[in-house]
Amino acid sequence: MRKIVLFIALVISTVTVAQKPTKGSFANLKGVTEFNLIFDYENLKVDKFKTEEDFLKDKMDKREEKGTSEDFKASWFADREAKYEPKFIECFNNASKKTGVTVQKDLTSAKYTMLIKTVWIYPGYNVGMVDQPAKLKTLITVYETDNPSKVVLVVPFEKIQSVDVMGMEYNSGSRIASAYCTLAKQFLKSLKKGTK
């Protein structure tokens, strides 16, 4: 049974593919060993809702009677710095140990900055026997740190999804963080392929 679960997780992680760059090329990043990171969540959309505010209102209304609506909202925003961003950094740096490429927030020594713009989030769900992975759409832009108008790469990533850990992930923040891990690995995979 465990082999089947691991096989499914492997298939899910390899199904996701990067879109082609809309500007520049991964070849422009050949020899780069570090990136400063910036995460941008402004105007993101969530699931089928028109705005993030609509999503939050819906979820908070459902939790209001239990007195947990404000807790949900606080957690929704706190998860960005507490879960999503550290998971992206951890997964990228762990996967790139052999290449020596690293990413970090506030890395002033880096010649290039990687801006990760989250466009859309699907939080997924887990209700026991039925679950859905979290999914992301992002736009990653790489530019010169000292000259942000000098953009060297713009690439959208779609259909990025979390890896289900044997159907046991009940927390939406952890599911979404797992999708950011997938994003980190996909970017790194595209970077390696494009700079050979």
Side-chain angles (χ1 to χ4, degrees):
M1 177 67 179
R2 182 172 180 162
K3 288 181 181 178
I4 293 172
V5 171
L6 291 173
F7 175 75
I8 291 170
L10 179 63
V11 168
I12 288 171
S13 67
T14 56
V15 166
T16 307
V17 292
Q19 305 299 308
K20 292 185 179 179
T22 56
K23 181 174 184 177
S25 166
F26 281 99
N28 294 337
L29 303 176
K30 188 166 186 165
V32 176
T33 58
E34 60 181 10
F35 293 93
N36 177 47
L37 277 183
I38 296 176
F39 292 86
D40 178 5
Y41 306 94
E42 191 173 346
N43 298 320
L44 72 88
K45 295 200 171 19
V46 184
D47 193 11
K48 61 187 180 215
F49 296 92
K50 287 187 177 181
T51 66
E52 184 178 26
E53 291 76 23
D54 291 341
F55 164 77
L56 288 170
K57 182 178 183 321
D58 178 72
K59 295 301 178 191
M60 291 172 71
D61 286 349
K62 291 175 182 175
R63 289 166 171 79
E64 193 169 334
E65 286 182 19
K66 297 178 184 177
T68 59
S69 60
E70 287 301 323
D71 291 342
F72 176 82
K73 183 176 182 180
S75 176
W76 176 258
F77 289 110
D79 283 347
R80 295 171 180 182
E81 283 194 34
K83 294 183 178 180
Y84 311 165
E85 296 170 17
K87 184 56 81 172
F88 181 94
I89 293 166
E90 174 193 354
C91 291
F92 188 102
N93 290 340
N94 284 345
S96 68
K97 281 182 180 174
K98 289 182 180 177
T99 64
V101 180
T102 59
V103 294
Q104 190 62 52
K105 289 172 66 176
D106 304 315
L107 189 60
T108 56
S109 62
K111 181 179 179 181
Y112 293 101
T113 292
M114 184 188 305
L115 172 65
I116 301 170
K117 167 72 177 166
T118 301
V119 177
W120 175 82
I121 293 176
Y122 173 68
Y125 59 85
N126 189 334
V127 290
M129 297 297 289
V130 181
D131 65 348
Q132 276 288 318
K135 297 171 186 160
L136 298 175
K137 289 182 185 176
T138 64
L139 185 67
I140 295 183
T141 303
V142 179
Y143 57 85
E144 289 188 6
T145 302
D146 293 336
N147 185 9
S149 63
K150 187 80 184 277
V151 174
V152 295
L153 177 71
V154 178
V155 59
F157 284 81
E158 299 186 5
K159 300 180 183 176
I160 299 294
Q161 64 182 39
S162 62
V163 177
D164 183 19
V165 186
M166 296 182 279
M168 299 303 290
E169 193 48 76
Y170 294 98
N171 180 277
S172 65
S174 297
R175 281 193 303 273
I176 295 167
S178 174
Y180 278 94
C181 181
T182 303
L183 175 65
K185 291 175 181 177
Q186 288 299 321
F187 182 88
L188 185 60
K189 184 177 178 181
S190 297
L191 179 64
K192 286 178 181 176
K193 185 176 179 182
T195 55
K196 280 185 177 178

